[in-house]
Amino acid sequence: MTEHSKIVVRRSFPEDLEPLNKLIGEEAHILEKRYGTSKLRDLLEVPILSLTALNENEEVVGFAAFTDAPSYSDLRVPVEWDEWIGQNYGDVGLTPTTTLFLRFFHADHLYAYEVAMEMFVEAFKIASDTAAIAFLLHKRTRFFTPLRDLETVSGDKEAFELFDPVEGSDAEHSLFVCYHVEFAAKIRIRAARVEDHDDLVPIFQMQSQVLSTRYGEFFLAKLIESQNETNKALVAEVNGRAVGLMALTSDVQLSNLQDSFELESYDNLVRVIPNENAGEAGGEGAMSSRSKASKKSEMGVESEGGAGKEEGDGEGEGEESAGIAEVGQVHDVIEEGDEEEEAEEEEDKAEVEVARELQLDESNIGYLGEEIVSNAFAVTLFCMDEGYESRAADFLPHAFAMFKDCEYCILTLPHVSLEFSLLQQFTLVPPRGFVPRPPPPPALPSYLTEEGEEREGDGEIIGGAVDRVVDDEAEEEEIEEENNFSQVLYLFNKHSLLGPLTVRPVSDGDQGAIDTLITGLEEATAIHDALCAALGKPRAGFPLPAKSVAFFVAEVAQQIVGVAVINKTLDSSSLQRRYEVEQFINFDAFNKGPHHVELIHLVLNPIFERKKRVFVSECARRSTDDADGTGGEVVYLKLRDGTPYPDVLSDFQFIPARSIPPPLAHADVERELRAGHEHDFALFSFARKSIYMSKTVLNIRIVVVGSSDTGLAFVAKLLTTPHLHFSSITLVDPEGLPAAEEHAQDAPLPTTLAFDALTLAQLGINARVRVVKASMCDINRDDKQLILAGGSSLPYDVLLLTAGRQHTLGLDGIHTHMQVKRERRVKKQKGVDKADDDGGLGDMVAAMAGQLLAESNAKSDLDALRGDKEDEEGRDGDEGEEGDEGEEEEEEIEEVTEEIDVGTELPLGVFTLKNLSSVNEVDAYVQEKVEEDQRIVVYGRSLVALSTVSWLLRKGVDGKRIAWIHPSISEDDNHSGTYCEDVAKSILSSFEEKGVVFYSNHTLMNLEAAAAEDGYRVLSAVVCEVAGDDDEDTMRISAGALISSIGMDVDPGVFTAINRNALVFDGKLVVDHCFRTNDASIFAAGPIAKFSTRYRVRADPRQMVTYDDLLDPANPLEAPSASLSDPLKRPPPQEHYSSQEIGSSAAKAVLLLVDPLSAAGADAPPSSAPPRSAISSRPSTASRAFGRNTPVVVGALNETDGSRPLLMASFTSPKALQLMMPDGRLYLRAWNPDPIRAPANTASANEYKNVSTDSKMGYCRLTFDAAGDLEEVVALFRPFEKDPPMTGVAGVTLTRMPSPPTASSLRHLIGLSEALFNGVVERVREGDVDDILNYLSMPWANALYHDRFRDFLGALLDALKGHSDFVAGAESLAMDAVKLGEAVDGLKEETRDMIESNVMRFLRVNENSLGMYIAPNSENANSLAGVIV
């Protein structure tokens, strides 16, 4: 935006249409003569740049539209318009990638000249690479004001230069051109002088006061004064005043950069210089020279020494923190001592000697006879007056002139800093991939690692069958620390200054250069096949017709630096049905056909990465066969899992998939199946009009722990924010992303289907998020690092904990019993047997005890056994003495078995199902370890237990081998997830048919174990009793496996990290309304977290506050105080709500804190900690929002001191889950977590409408709350594979929806009014509808499932607020809880007409997906309007 006098110029918006129509008024016919016929709406949508001018009263006083090619209704210009210009007007210096054409201009006559001047100044500022703006005017039309009178900035000549057609040309238009240099301020770049200090200080103080505080008031003067051969300073001067400064240094430490970033594509920022004395010096001298040069390239002035590294070596030993020397330290040269130099010489010689002994050639030991030197210099300080920020790139040619031997200019920034104008020319270098260290092996059971049972010398356990060596004195292996470089790296290659990038179609002579460019790429073969097709030589199996392929090359200085492959025949209507394309693309302006093309491949030399937007735009423009040369306006990119990540993706707009794909007609379904449209890809788009609307790049490091629905929803919200690109999002989970099996229709565990395999593929998470498979074990809050189980660390700026409460065994306190054999003596006297125990347990007993018993329990058990034997021996001795006279005795030794308690350490064979890994573990154990005569016991009464039984049956386990023990509700932490009682009978009966044995209301008492051959204890039986019945005998069930699911707890690693770091934990992590813990950088959401007791929610759901309403964009860190007059209640646990909504809400809170376009950071106090780099040109929002001193409210509410509670939002999204039964039926449930309840003292308190049907298709129950809104849907049915015809209500044959109901589709029905269901309650009760599933699958209901239907209802309700008759009806609805249909009966005719017109508009807009609806007055029509009205 620019401002001059009273005129402000900004980008145009669609809302400008009406005022622009008023501005043009009666002059439309004059403008038509100048610019040809055009629609003003299209001029707002189609051109690549549209600008609107406002006066001091914010009234629209001017408009201009610019395109990247001549586009006039009365002139047909070919795609190669630059050749056409050259043929008709000569060499005027216009190139396609650096030229804009004025498509339309008009201004209020009172402001005409000022508007014109500001329009062109702003256009050149936005399109900073544009060299000229031109337009064509018919010869019969006179050059008009104000453009005719427009002068250059200097005021010495006219701005536009006239070019008439050359002799022999048949062109009927004159060409007018104004050049960028004439509208740009004259900036002189020169070496800095000390006297520039006074001009530069105000700029620095405005952008960063930390520098003066850190380095002193005159640090700029000292910096400029200390220039030498390696440190330079440049200033930009305008009219004798310094307006910018760039400080440079060639002393760059490369080792850490090479270790931390993928610099192989940039030759690791080094270059090789042949050593002229290599032949004389021999190998030793060559290696020594190489080592010294390498050391210099590694910033030896700051390094502690070490041998030089070969190119690409990632084992540097430089200092860890400094990639670029900070201001004030660039001249602190550390001189190496003579002894250190001599040691390095010896080390270099040794390296050469080793190479000789191995008879390696020069390539193997790295540049023998060559010298490796640094090829980069660094920007250490930069600032620019805001009025000249668009000219920041003017520094770069002069910077490279200072360091002529260097090809790269590099710059590092803290992750929380924002990109500034200079970085628009730089390339962001990706960091190296993170590979966590493997976690330590699981610990052996305590009974296999008993202290004192090692043999001396060999560490072998006495009596153990497992030969394990235990060496307590072995030193722990030293693990190298990760190089967690604390900044991001940008670079610029001087070859980017060679000239503009040009684009042209491929030709036969380009094949060699293209093969060189794509060699080594994953997609090289596919690109080569596309090249052959474009050249008319398609290979067999190529997926596209040859005529559909357009192949382009990008050139700089006549060298090919990039290639692109375009599919010109894209089916945009298919994408429109499956993705939210219409949110970003105006299909009225860009209809089907050549306007929509697909980018299949794009390869561009990384040093020209910043030109990729121009490359894509020019390829789209040229990909047309039309005579008008308009070309493709929208470029799509499909990203599938496993395909290479295109570098251009950050400039494309992500298009979310539609939450409910609209139903298709059968012909469309068959057509899509034939075409193979699977839509299992993430879709991105690039509109040519967005070429100058780049995203804001945020390098802030966001780490999410847990791939739960909450964590994935958080990540999805960040990835779908249109104007932001997050470069560093990391997801940490032991399992990684959820496997496809976890969210499939037949998943082993209940699933919400929120993030199934298709959804994850359509988000493109694998390509856009770094996924680390590791477990969290600690947090370093001071250094902001997440510690993983193997000891690796991940740095973060924002940490979100979503690893919620997991299913656990819940068997705390359950003891394991074992049968132990021991010997005893048996005395025989006159035919009577007497038993006498062995006096100290023989060697076999001791050995068995040492193998099986835990030390904590072994001593007490053995002591008890010994005590019993001493008593027995004493008694036997006494008896022997009494009866010893004259009697002979015989002794025999026999084995006896006794049961002992070996403690609470569980044996093998006890499991809980919590993820796919545990499912696979149980599956393998059951197949390999459990005998055929042993049962598998399932313990629990929740839906998880039910799914476990169902999964075992589906795996082919005989039902007779499954025992399902139902504990009491009080003992099952998961009972809240119990399946619906209405379908329990049907489910349990199907289990009984398969032989499953039930034990209802039983409590597990203890386990029995046996010794396996490898020394482990293995489950052999479970013992239980009837809960609460002390007199009931215990029951023993022989079992080879126990699957328990009654426990819910926080992951042990997460809990340990929370406990160690003093995060407020009260059963769950306590967070504020922004999901922040007491550490402002650590957030928590989902079942692991709960809101502070300081917060309250409104008790009446009809008066609740949504999360969007709660967060104040100007100050999101403060929650409003609750009114004490409102009925309030404590907020329910977060697991009470939809995990998707919780995760998305947490992302909204973080976005308000990190998004530079939000007002949150504008007024936030600056952080007390100084930035780690002096390059940032403005303070960072993130550094302020996540400062350690930021107060976070997580304390409890003290009601005794008069403190008022803070208002917390209620969450409104419904929840849903799905589970496959063993007989193939699907159990679905969707429900509203906060339904509206009538007051307890009213007559309607218990009048909840509940209707259900159980038919051949399946069971379905609908429950409506007190307000008449759908509260819950429960279904149990067998999915149908085909679409047979069915009979409708009126006997009309209808067609079922192509897709069966799913948990996701049913969830969309929750909250809709009963009136929208076409009288389903009355129809069921009267017998007209005997199958609800059938009824809800009829075409009349298609709109209810539509993903835009709720938005339509919201807009309709907003429109109705101005109608008094509707407001009165709504109040009656709220007070008396009557159904909506009764309230609508009293509406006026005009209100009913307004409703119907809005419905018809909704149907017309979505006609492509709701074509089954016809005019409401037609006979036998399925009129949605009739339903609503």
Side-chain angles (χ1 to χ4, degrees), residues 985-1192:
K985 182 177 180 180
S986 175
I987 294 175
L988 297 182
S989 63
S990 66
F991 287 177
E992 289 178 348
E993 292 176 0
K994 295 182 178 294
V996 177
V997 180
F998 298 92
Y999 299 97
S1000 181
N1001 203 30
H1002 277 60
T1003 300
L1004 189 65
M1005 297 298 296
N1006 54 65
L1007 306 177
E1008 293 184 5
E1013 294 181 358
D1014 55 4
Y1016 285 88
R1017 299 174 186 156
V1018 181
L1019 179 72
S1020 60
V1022 299
V1023 179
C1024 57
E1025 67 176 4
V1026 176
D1029 189 353
D1030 297 334
D1031 298 331
E1032 187 70 23
D1033 294 334
T1034 59
M1035 177 179 59
R1036 181 182 182 277
I1037 304 175
S1038 176
L1042 169 64
I1043 305 174
S1044 175
S1045 62
I1046 66 170
M1048 288 288 288
D1049 205 350
V1050 177
D1051 178 82
V1054 175
F1055 176 77
T1056 301
I1058 293 171
N1059 191 41
R1060 287 178 179 174
N1061 288 275
L1063 298 177
V1064 178
F1065 190 86
D1066 182 16
K1068 298 179 181 180
L1069 263 175
V1070 181
V1071 298
D1072 68 358
H1073 67 289
C1074 287
F1075 296 90
R1076 297 186 305 167
T1077 65
N1078 55 306
D1079 187 322
S1081 298
I1082 301 178
F1083 295 68
I1088 193 176
K1090 71 175 183 180
F1091 295 111
S1092 167
T1093 56
R1094 184 179 294 268
Y1095 295 96
R1096 297 290 186 271
V1097 296
R1098 289 177 177 168
D1100 189 349
R1102 290 167 296 188
Q1103 300 177 359
M1104 62 187 175
V1105 177
T1106 65
Y1107 196 73
D1108 291 335
D1109 295 334
L1110 174 75
L1111 291 180
D1112 182 4
N1115 192 5
L1117 300 181
E1118 282 192 17
S1121 297
S1123 173
L1124 298 179
S1125 60
D1126 295 335
L1128 302 175
K1129 66 178 182 180
R1130 288 190 176 183
Q1134 291 190 20
E1135 62 261 34
H1136 178 75
Y1137 299 109
S1138 166
S1139 297
Q1140 287 178 272
E1141 186 178 16
I1142 291 292
S1144 179
S1145 299
K1148 292 176 183 177
V1150 172
L1151 284 171
L1152 283 176
L1153 299 176
V1154 304
D1155 186 357
L1157 294 184
S1158 72
D1163 301 323
S1167 172
S1168 59
R1172 298 190 64 180
S1173 172
I1175 301 174
S1176 178
S1177 65
R1178 57 175 58 88
S1180 166
T1181 302
S1183 64
R1184 297 192 298 264
F1186 303 115
R1188 292 296 301 272
N1189 296 328
T1190 306
V1192 183

Side-chain angles (χ1 to χ4, degrees), residues 23 90 105 201 206 417 485 524 562 595 681 1207 1214 1250 1260 1309 1327 1383 1390:
L23 177 65
F105 173 83
V201 166
M206 181 176 59
S417 296
F485 196 78
H595 291 296
F681 51 82
L1207 187 61
N1250 187 321
C1260 183
L1309 301 179
E1390 59 177 308

Side-chain angles (χ1 to χ4, degrees), residues 822-838:
R822 64 185 181 89
E823 296 177 351
R824 71 173 182 175
R825 296 193 302 271
V826 179
K827 297 179 180 181
K828 292 186 177 181
Q829 183 179 11
K830 294 182 179 181
V832 180
D833 293 343
K834 291 186 177 182
D836 186 11
D837 291 337
D838 187 4

Side-chain angles (χ1 to χ4, degrees), residues 2 116-126 153 180 183-184:
T2 185
M117 176 61 73
E118 291 305 306
M119 285 288 191
F120 283 91
V121 170
E122 182 70 6
F124 280 122
K125 183 180 294 185
I126 294 175
V153 173
H180 192 172
F183 276 85

Side-chain angles (χ1 to χ4, degrees), residues 52 133 576 598 600 622 735 904 970 998 1045 1274 1386 1391 1402:
T52 300
I133 295 178
Q576 187 180 3
E598 177 188 359
I600 302 177
R622 292 173 175 269
E735 305 294 325
T904 59
S970 61
F998 298 92
S1045 62
V1274 176
T1391 304
F1402 169 75

Side-chain angles (χ1 to χ4, degrees), residues 283-408:
E284 295 182 13
M287 178 57 70
S288 178
S289 175
R290 185 197 71 81
S291 180
K292 289 182 178 179
S294 179
K295 180 173 179 56
K296 179 180 178 182
S297 73
E298 295 171 12
M299 193 65 171
V301 296
E302 292 189 358
S303 175
E304 297 180 2
K309 302 197 297 86
E310 298 178 10
E311 182 181 5
D313 190 1
E315 302 295 331
E317 292 182 7
E319 287 188 6
E320 185 175 341
S321 60
I324 299 176
E326 293 184 340
V327 176
Q329 298 175 346
V330 293
H331 310 302
D332 298 338
V333 179
I334 303 174
E335 297 182 358
E336 305 290 347
D338 295 338
E339 295 180 359
E340 186 175 357
E341 291 181 359
E342 292 175 2
E344 291 171 0
E345 292 287 347
E346 295 295 327
E347 195 172 333
D348 295 337
K349 293 179 181 179
E351 186 178 358
V352 175
E353 292 297 329
V354 171
R356 286 176 174 174
E357 292 177 6
L358 296 176
Q359 298 182 348
L360 301 177
D361 59 17
E362 293 183 358
S363 61
N364 288 331
I365 59 177
Y367 302 113
L368 286 175
E370 297 175 335
E371 184 179 11
I372 299 178
V373 298
S374 173
N375 197 23
F377 63 91
V379 179
T380 58
L381 199 63
F382 175 80
C383 74
M384 196 79 174
D385 187 291
E386 291 185 356
Y388 302 95
E389 280 189 341
S390 62
R391 303 291 300 278
D394 291 3
F395 275 103
L396 295 175
H398 299 272
F400 281 99
M402 290 286 185
F403 303 99
K404 297 181 180 180
D405 293 334
C406 294
E407 295 183 353
Y408 293 96

Side-chain angles (χ1 to χ4, degrees), residues 930-994:
V930 180
E931 302 294 339
E932 290 293 334
D933 58 346
Q934 289 182 309
R935 285 188 173 182
I936 302 172
V937 176
V938 178
Y939 187 51
R941 61 183 300 119
S942 66
L943 193 62
V944 177
L946 183 148
S947 66
T948 302
V949 176
S950 177
W951 171 73
L952 290 172
L953 292 172
R954 296 204 308 274
K955 292 295 293 183
V957 177
D958 188 351
K960 298 178 181 179
R961 296 179 58 201
I962 301 175
W964 187 1
I965 301 176
H966 280 215
S968 62
I969 292 180
S970 61
E971 297 177 5
D972 192 342
D973 292 341
N974 294 330
H975 67 273
S976 59
T978 303
Y979 44 87
C980 176
E981 296 296 335
D982 284 359
V983 298
K985 182 177 180 180
S986 175
I987 294 175
L988 297 182
S989 63
S990 66
F991 287 177
E992 289 178 348
E993 292 176 0
K994 295 182 178 294

Side-chain angles (χ1 to χ4, degrees), residues 108-168:
D108 189 310
H109 297 293
L110 295 177
Y111 305 92
Y113 186 86
E114 289 181 335
V115 168
M117 176 61 73
E118 291 305 306
M119 285 288 191
F120 283 91
V121 170
E122 182 70 6
F124 280 122
K125 183 180 294 185
I126 294 175
S128 57
D129 291 336
T130 298
I133 295 178
F135 78 99
L136 293 163
L137 186 65
H138 201 281
K139 293 179 179 179
R140 64 173 179 264
T141 304
R142 296 176 55 188
F143 195 26
F144 51 89
T145 58
L147 302 187
R148 181 184 60 196
D149 303 328
L150 202 62
E151 296 180 346
T152 61
V153 173
S154 60
D156 56 353
K157 63 177 182 179
E158 294 180 351
F160 279 91
E161 187 174 347
L162 170 63
F163 295 91
D164 288 319
V166 298
E167 185 177 354

